[in-house]
Amino acid sequence: MLTCTDCKENFNTNDTLKRHKYERHCKKCTITATAEGISEKVVIERKNDRLQCPFCNKEHLTREGIKSHILKSKCKAALINERIKTAKKRNYDTAVLNACGALLFEKPQQDQIFQLVDTMNLSPICLTTNQGEEVNVLVHVDDVSQVCNSNFTKAIPVSKKKTVEDN
C-alpha cells in the first residue's frame, strides 16, 4: 500500500499515486481545451488545494473538472477571445507593429517601420511568458532559429549606449 504524503490517501500502485498527486496536488498544471475547433493550452494554478479558473476564479478539485467548467460555461467565450488575441500576435504585420509599439501609428509611419524592418533583415517572433502571455519582439533573421529553439531562462534589457553628445 502506497500513501500520498500530502493527504494520506492510500493507493495500490505507484501509477495511481502519481496520477493522484498530479490531479490533486500540482501547484500549476496545463490543460488543453478545444473550443470551436481551436485548441488552446491554459495554465491553471492551484490555490487553497483547488484549481482556479483563470477566467472567472471558480475553483475545482480536478483537472477534468476545471476543463469541463471552462468548456461548458461563459469561460468558453473567454478562452476563444484569448485565442483570437494570440492569433493576432502571430500575424506578420501586427507582430512587427506590436514589437515596435506602433499599432496606433498612422499608416505612413507604419509603412516606414515595415521598410526599416525589411532593410535591417529583422523578423518578428512571438515569445510566451511563464503566465502564458505572448509578446512580440524583433530579431535578426540569422538569429530567429536560435531564439525559437532555445530555452532561455531570463530576458535582460540592454541599455542604449550613451554617446558624448548625450551628456
Side-chain angles (χ1 to χ4, degrees), residues 13-138:
T13 68
N14 198 33
D15 284 343
T16 55
L17 174 60
K18 281 182 185 178
R19 190 173 330 119
H20 162 80
K21 281 184 157 284
Y22 184 69
E23 285 284 334
R24 297 294 300 271
H25 303 296
C26 66
K27 298 286 184 233
K28 188 186 287 189
C29 59
T30 303
I31 62 167
T32 301
T34 303
E36 312 276 326
I38 299 170
S39 292
E40 182 71 20
K41 289 188 185 291
V42 181
V43 177
I44 309 292
E45 291 189 32
R46 186 175 296 279
K47 294 190 178 166
N48 301 325
D49 202 35
R50 294 184 179 269
L51 295 169
Q52 192 171 49
C53 175
F55 304 112
C56 73
N57 296 327
K58 189 169 183 180
E59 297 176 341
H60 293 270
L61 286 174
T62 66
R63 291 174 65 244
E64 284 305 313
I66 194 82
K67 184 174 181 178
S68 176
H69 158 75
I70 289 171
L71 294 177
K72 293 180 181 175
S73 69
K74 65 179 181 174
C75 297
K76 180 178 178 181
L79 174 68
I80 292 167
N81 286 338
E82 195 64 32
R83 182 66 179 133
I84 290 168
K85 278 196 289 186
T86 298
K88 286 181 181 174
K89 289 188 179 177
R90 293 186 186 167
N91 166 284
Y92 179 86
D93 288 356
T94 304
V96 167
L97 296 173
N98 193 36
C100 295
L103 284 170
L104 301 178
F105 285 17
E106 297 293 327
K107 177 122 175 68
Q109 287 81 21
Q110 289 179 345
D111 289 341
Q112 287 177 333
I113 289 170
F114 292 129
Q115 187 177 17
L116 181 63
V117 166
D118 287 342
T119 301
M120 300 296 296
N121 282 331
L122 299 176
S123 178
I125 61 171
C126 188
L127 300 176
T128 307
T129 67
N130 289 338
Q131 292 76 31
E133 182 183 342
E134 293 190 357
V135 294
N136 295 119
V137 297
L138 295 174

